[in-house]
Amino acid sequence: MTDALKRLSQEGVAIWLDDLSRARISSGNLGELLDQQHVVGVTTNPTIFQKAISGGTGYDEQLADLAARGVTVEEAVRMITTADVRDAADVLRPVYEATGGLDGRVSIEVDPRLAHRTAATVAEAKQLAWLVDRPNTFIKIPATKAGLPAITETIARGISVNVTLIFSLDRYREVMDAYQTGLEQAKARGLDLKDIYSVASFFVSRVDTEIDKRLDALGTPEATALRGKAAVANARLAYQAYEEVIAGERWEALSRAGANPQRPLWASTGVKDPAYPDTLYVTELVAPGTVNTMPEATLRATEDHGEVRGNTIQGTYEQARADLDALDKVGISYDEVVQLLEDEGVEKFEAAWNGLLESTQAELERLAGGKD
């Protein structure tokens, strides 16, 4: 057993758990992860909730009550998911207080079917913030084209945001711009910028999965040599872009007004290819002021045998750029890949949400049977 998680925290990486369920909360497991594994935050998404609600009996009592009331399936899902996020936020509240609001946060995502509708996304973000009613909540908004102005408007209203589904460096720069614009509007409205926080969730493993598939199809020695390099290179260059933004005059003015940096968050950090170390997207993406949200398997693997070697991002930018440029030389379009991944990401979350609605509807109908 190593103390890799403690070392990771000491290097300035906030460790968040990419999972939530009612059983995890009620059993005390979430509290144990905070106490023993240096976890300081939680992220959720439609896939996580679909697995949680369909995977046990922990929701039966609430489902029975909802069925008795005859609520719509959309309302039922929102009541169930916001209850879990509210309870998890209460568990994490001491971390939130101890870190002055930086960590101890739980993320909940807007309905993914709204990903291409700006006004509806803002309305949903406001509703979720009201329903959960905890200061240590992040509302997750996908970084689609329609999501960018929604991010600005939500931040401008003083609601803290976790921007999700970021794959491309250009889109990440647009996200950082949207955040700063939102802060400027919030300041103009007289809001206290110290109370507004944000993270930008840059997805990692899916980049390797898609690009490696294309490299394997090429099958040349040049292509094979590039396997497993794109995702880390992409994330490292994202951190470089972040450093450039926070060193700029625009950010310095916001910082003087009390604004908090929008931390880069490494998401999708579970390794999909067994040929790679299972801690690859943790140990190779260590830098201060970042967040790494991990599935529990990745968290345990890092705890067990992760080798944290200090900062593994700064000083790597030239090689990272060379690795991405090499993809173009073998005929793989970076722009095409990241757009495909964004489109697929929205589709996957929509599919998970629809599956959640279907399974919840079936439970409501089952539990409503025989009732007055």
Side-chain angles (χ1 to χ4, degrees):
M1 185 72 68
T2 70
D3 209 356
L5 296 176
K6 180 179 180 181
R7 176 77 189 281
L8 198 62
S9 298
Q10 291 172 339
E11 290 291 339
V13 179
I15 300 168
W16 291 7
L17 177 71
D18 191 29
D19 190 56
L20 185 64
S21 68
R22 191 155 298 177
R24 192 182 286 281
I25 299 168
S26 61
S27 68
N29 171 263
L30 180 58
E32 290 174 2
L33 292 174
L34 305 186
D35 294 338
Q36 301 173 19
Q37 274 73 40
H38 305 276
V39 170
V40 293
V42 169
T43 50
T44 68
N45 60 45
T47 302
I48 285 170
F49 279 127
Q50 181 191 28
K51 292 178 181 177
I53 296 172
S54 63
T57 60
Y59 298 90
D60 281 2
E61 181 177 352
Q62 187 178 12
L63 280 164
D65 290 343
L66 292 165
R69 290 172 51 210
V71 304
T72 65
V73 66
E74 284 84 1
E75 182 180 353
V77 166
R78 276 307 178 211
M79 292 300 99
I80 291 167
T81 56
T82 54
D84 278 2
V85 169
R86 187 182 309 112
D87 289 345
D90 288 344
V91 174
L92 284 153
R93 187 63 177 263
V95 177
Y96 171 81
E97 300 288 355
T99 61
L102 182 65
D103 285 308
R105 292 179 174 270
V106 186
S107 297
I108 183 169
E109 188 157 345
V110 298
D111 184 336
R113 297 172 299 180
L114 307 177
H116 302 297
R117 297 167 55 195
T118 300
T121 294
V122 174
E124 174 92 342
K126 290 161 60 181
Q127 175 76 354
L128 286 174
W130 179 81
L131 279 171
V132 176
D133 192 28
R134 295 294 185 272
N136 52 326
T137 306
F138 272 132
I139 307 303
K140 291 179 77 173
I141 298 175
T144 58
K145 276 293 184 183
L148 294 170
I151 293 159
T152 293
E153 177 63 20
T154 304
I155 290 292
R157 291 177 176 275
I159 298 171
S160 295
V161 173
N162 176 343
V163 183
T164 188
L165 285 176
I166 307 172
F167 295 95
S168 85
L169 295 167
D170 285 345
R171 183 55 53 83
Y172 179 43
R173 292 186 183 95
E174 292 177 320
V175 166
M176 290 189 285
D177 178 73
Y179 177 56
Q180 292 178 98
T181 302
L183 289 173
E184 289 160 352
Q185 293 179 7
K187 181 183 175 184
R189 290 177 176 180
L191 300 182
D192 191 341
L193 301 190
K194 293 192 295 294
D195 297 330
I196 304 172
Y197 287 82
S198 183
V199 293
S201 295
F202 204 85
F203 278 49
V204 185
S205 68
R206 296 187 193 183
V207 175
D208 271 343
T209 299
E210 180 61 30
I211 288 181
D212 283 358
K213 179 175 69 176
R214 298 179 182 218
L215 292 170
D216 291 344
L218 292 171
T220 64
E222 294 81 5
T224 301
L226 294 173
R227 290 187 90 260
K229 293 184 177 181
V232 168
N234 198 38
R236 286 172 171 174
L237 291 175
Y239 191 80
Q240 181 186 35
Y242 163 74
E243 288 185 313
E244 291 169 355
V245 165
I246 62 173
E249 292 182 4
R250 184 185 185 190
W251 177 253
E252 288 178 3
L254 285 166
S255 181
R256 287 194 297 271
N260 300 292
Q262 183 186 50
R263 289 184 293 174
L265 180 152
W266 313 130
S268 183
T269 56
V271 174
K272 308 296 192 294
D273 190 331
Y276 303 149
D278 54 4
T279 61
L280 175 67
Y281 304 126
V282 177
T283 59
E284 297 303 316
L285 295 175
V286 177
T290 60
V291 179
N292 196 306
T293 185
M294 311 177 200
E296 187 170 6
T298 303
L299 179 76
R300 299 295 184 184
T302 303
E303 177 185 42
D304 181 66
H305 52 265
E307 295 182 9
V308 180
R309 310 183 307 279
N311 191 319
T312 51
I313 293 182
Q314 291 170 320
T316 67
Y317 304 141
E318 185 176 348
Q319 182 61 53
R321 173 50 60 191
D323 287 341
L324 290 192
D325 288 345
L327 295 173
D328 183 64
K329 293 176 182 176
V330 299
I332 294 176
S333 168
Y334 172 86
D335 291 339
E336 179 188 334
V337 168
V338 293
Q339 186 59 57
L340 172 69
L341 290 171
E342 179 185 307
D343 294 342
E344 286 184 347
V346 173
E347 290 171 2
K348 287 177 180 177
F349 279 174
E350 283 183 0
W353 191 258
N354 288 331
L356 174 57
L357 292 174
E358 290 169 6
S359 59
T360 302
Q361 181 65 48
E363 286 299 293
L364 289 172
E365 292 172 359
R366 178 180 67 84
L367 292 165
K371 292 185 179 294
D372 293 335

